Amino acid sequence: MPPRDWDASSYDRMSDPQLAMARDVIDRLDLRGDERVLDAGCGTGRVTEVLAQRVPDGKVIAVDGSQKMVDETRKRGITAFTADLAELTLDEPVDAILSTATFHWIPYHERLFARLHAALEPGGRLAAQCGGAGNVGNVQAAIDAVDHPALRGWDGPWNFATPAQTTERLQRAGFSDVWAWLQPWLVEPEDPKQYFTTVILGSHLERLPEEDREPFVDAVLAHGTHANYVRLNILARRR
Ligand SMILES: C[S@@+](CC[C@H](N)C(=O)[O-])C[C@H]1O[C@@H](n2cnc3c(N)ncnc32)[C@H](O)[C@@H]1O
């Protein structure tokens, strides 16, 4: 299935938590300042903008599966193009790849990691963070409790992997020096309704009849307005 489009302007307003989570991931790339870096799954480019400040003598390229997200990123003056990361090919390999809050939206991590490996120069580094095993467990429990008929029998949109699965998949794709670990991160959004609608439940809502969408979000929020994120951090290097 191709990646879905997003409500980019709402995501831009709601994504303070994602920007906060991304800062440590950027730090882990330990950039000199002259590298070519890919932001894989750039969203509206808020994280990409911070990344670009770290490579004043280098270059940032941004990729996202959603045209609306790419349009927002370009408004920030960043070179961006639309592609499914699981099918990614770059004209020129990069020295490093950053990816935040994206891999768990992609069903086939084996294929994804193979494409990212091919996009890196030998010795190139990957620093990523996405939802990992147990991510937003309280929200999933609320979704299950609400039990909307249109969602029954569906596995859901997320691929929350464990560190062990991820380490094995990265090594099989040809990466070395692999580190993968989980990190709990509580998010209490200022505007829970808009945040859940845009950032967490977008794929669920697409499966519901229009008139059920707002009541569904309200019903999920009745179980709690916070989200217990569990982030999967990833560091790896192309041999
Ligand atoms: C939650 S946003 C994260 C954006 C940004 N990295 C951040 O941290 O704010 C997830 C992004 O992944 C993108 N995405 C999901 N599946 C994708 C795929 N298969 N290929 C490319 N981008 C994808 C979405 O379009 C969306 O912009």
Side-chain angles (χ1 to χ4, degrees):
M1 255 218 328
R4 72 182 167 97
D5 225 339
W6 282 60
D7 181 342
S9 63
S10 178
Y11 185 79
D12 200 59
R13 279 182 277 117
M14 291 296 125
S15 57
D16 284 359
Q18 282 66 31
L19 184 60
M21 292 180 210
R23 291 186 187 278
D24 286 349
V25 191
I26 295 174
D27 284 346
R28 284 184 205 120
L29 272 179
D30 204 14
L31 293 160
R32 283 187 313 265
D34 61 353
E35 295 92 338
R36 282 171 49 83
V37 189
L38 170 72
D39 187 359
C42 58
T44 60
R46 292 184 72 189
V47 173
T48 327
E49 217 167 32
V50 178
L51 176 65
Q53 289 161 6
R54 303 291 183 90
V55 284
D57 302 319
K59 168 94 184 150
V60 166
I61 308 151
V63 172
D64 200 278
S66 157
Q67 185 61 49
K68 287 186 189 144
M69 292 297 215
V70 167
D71 291 344
E72 288 297 313
T73 299
R74 286 184 178 149
K75 285 184 197 161
R76 297 191 141 94
I78 292 160
T79 304
F81 66 94
T82 309
D84 181 347
L85 289 169
E87 311 287 342
L88 181 73
T89 50
L90 295 182
D91 293 340
E92 252 188 282
V94 290
D95 302 305
I97 297 176
L98 176 83
S99 183
T100 56
T102 295
F103 290 174
H104 58 273
W105 294 105
I106 301 177
Y108 307 111
H109 281 180
E110 288 85 354
R111 208 154 81 202
L112 167 70
F113 295 157
R115 297 318 309 151
L116 297 182
H117 184 267
L120 278 170
E121 293 278 9
R125 285 159 300 141
L126 166 69
Q129 187 189 72
C130 59
N135 192 47
V136 295
N138 68 311
V139 182
Q140 184 61 59
I143 293 166
D144 293 343
V146 173
D147 191 27
H148 192 287
L151 302 179
R152 281 182 203 145
W154 179 49
D155 283 343
W158 301 314
N159 182 7
F160 295 145
T162 66
Q165 287 168 330
T166 302
T167 301
E168 198 200 331
R169 289 169 183 163
L170 285 163
Q171 287 171 340
R172 241 188 286 141
F175 284 95
S176 62
D177 304 332
V178 175
W179 291 88
W181 71 99
L182 295 176
Q183 176 183 13
W185 190 298
L186 172 67
V187 170
E188 293 172 303
E190 274 176 28
D191 182 346
K193 192 158 176 173
Q194 195 60 34
Y195 185 88
F196 273 56
T197 299
T198 304
V199 181
I200 303 185
L201 298 175
S203 292
H204 296 80
L205 297 176
E206 279 182 358
R207 301 177 85 92
L208 304 189
E210 184 78 43
E211 65 274 16
D212 286 2
R213 292 179 183 174
E214 194 177 346
F216 177 77
V217 175
D218 290 338
V220 169
L221 286 171
H223 291 259
T225 57
H226 67 287
N228 293 327
Y229 280 88
V230 179
R231 308 318 278 169
L232 172 63
N233 290 303
I234 296 170
L235 282 175
R237 181 183 294 275
R238 179 178 172 155
R239 280 192 211 102

